[in-house]
Amino acid sequence: DTEVTQTPKHLVMGMTNKKSLKCEQHMGHRAMYWYKQKAKKPPELMFVYSYEKLSINESVPSRFSPECPNSSLLNLHLHALQPEDSALYLCASSQDRGVEKLFFGSGTQLSVL
Amino acid sequence: AQSVTQLDSQVPVFEEAPVELRCNYSSSVSVYLFWYVQYPNQGLQLLLKYLSGSTLVKGINGFEAEFNKSQTSFHLRKPSVHISDTAEYFCAVSGGSGGSNYKLTFGKGTLLTVNP
């Protein structure tokens, strides 16, 4: 199994809603990442988890809250988002905290109304 | 810090023609270089990477790239493209061995459109 699975594939939410994005991998990888990709732009790193601990936060607003409950799962909790947060959210994983071999999921397309 | 410049935002070509997508990088330390492809509404797939060793790197789907340290370039080439190669292509850089290699910095992307 060489897949990173993200759910849901599409999500529409209001600015007062609370929702969560989920990411799962069963490759035994110990580093997991969240990237944000706005339309027609490159992906930008948000968070890095290494061995289930948050190791990098790229100055992301607190309305985005990551969580790594175990080595296979990564969540991104969303609360009080703004319309400009609408984007494709990509999860990725790697064996260790290095990007030499990074596997990406297909993403969650988020629309904030 | 590293940065990447993709010189062409769009490249239209005819099927079976050769193509080159250009990428230049800037870094004061050793780097790792990557090319990713993104099909519509999908995530990123690694095409190839340069970590060290031979400067000519071969990847999937018939693509190859050459690392040129003196020109700080990592151009992607394919001798004959197919309609199915139509996609967005991203060049990316990270810190090399001994550097901060946890973060990929992407270029702005090149949209390759292959026409029949």
Side-chain angles (χ1 to χ4, degrees), chain A residues 25 28-33 48-52 71 92-98 102:
Chain A
Q25 57 87 15
H29 289 172
R30 302 314 300 266
M32 296 184 79
Y33 309 73
V48 180
Y49 271 82
S50 178
Y51 290 84
E52 295 140 60
S71 60
S93 70
S94 61
Q95 182 63 43
D96 293 300
R97 204 190 76 166
L102 204 59

Side-chain angles (χ1 to χ4, degrees), chain A residues 34-38 41-47, chain B residues 104 106:
Chain A
W34 281 114
Y35 280 82
K36 174 181 179 178
Q37 185 179 22
K38 296 201 55 98
K41 298 288 186 185
E44 295 179 338
L45 182 65
M46 300 175 73
F47 302 105
Chain B
L104 278 175
F106 290 89

Side-chain angles (χ1 to χ4, degrees), chain B:
Chain B
Q2 300 92 24
S3 67
V4 174
T5 301
Q6 291 184 244
L7 297 161
D8 305 295
S9 59
Q10 297 187 55
V11 173
V13 294
F14 288 108
E15 194 173 16
E16 298 183 5
V19 71
E20 178 180 81
L21 306 184
R22 297 181 293 168
C23 172
N24 285 90
Y25 70 93
S26 173
S27 176
S28 58
V29 297
S30 66
V31 295
Y32 294 153
L33 291 158
F34 307 81
W35 276 99
Y36 282 86
V37 61
Q38 186 174 35
Y39 299 101
N41 302 314
Q42 293 192 26
L44 283 80
Q45 181 181 11
L46 180 66
L47 278 177
L48 48 79
K49 61 187 176 186
Y50 172 79
L51 304 183
S52 66
S54 173
T55 58
L56 182 62
V57 180
K58 293 190 184 298
I60 62 171
N61 301 342
F63 284 94
E64 64 179 33
E66 185 154 19
F67 171 62
N68 187 320
K69 189 173 181 179
S70 62
Q71 302 201 359
T72 60
S73 68
F74 190 56
H75 300 334
L76 181 70
R77 300 185 183 97
K78 186 170 182 179
S80 175
V81 294
H82 302 129
I83 299 283
S84 58
D85 292 322
T86 295
E88 189 85 30
Y89 291 78
F90 290 99
C91 183
V93 64
S94 75
S97 59
S100 57
N101 64 340
Y102 67 87
K103 179 177 180 178
L104 278 175
T105 300
F106 290 89
K108 293 187 176 182
T110 298
L111 178 61
L112 174 64
T113 303
V114 182
N115 298 301

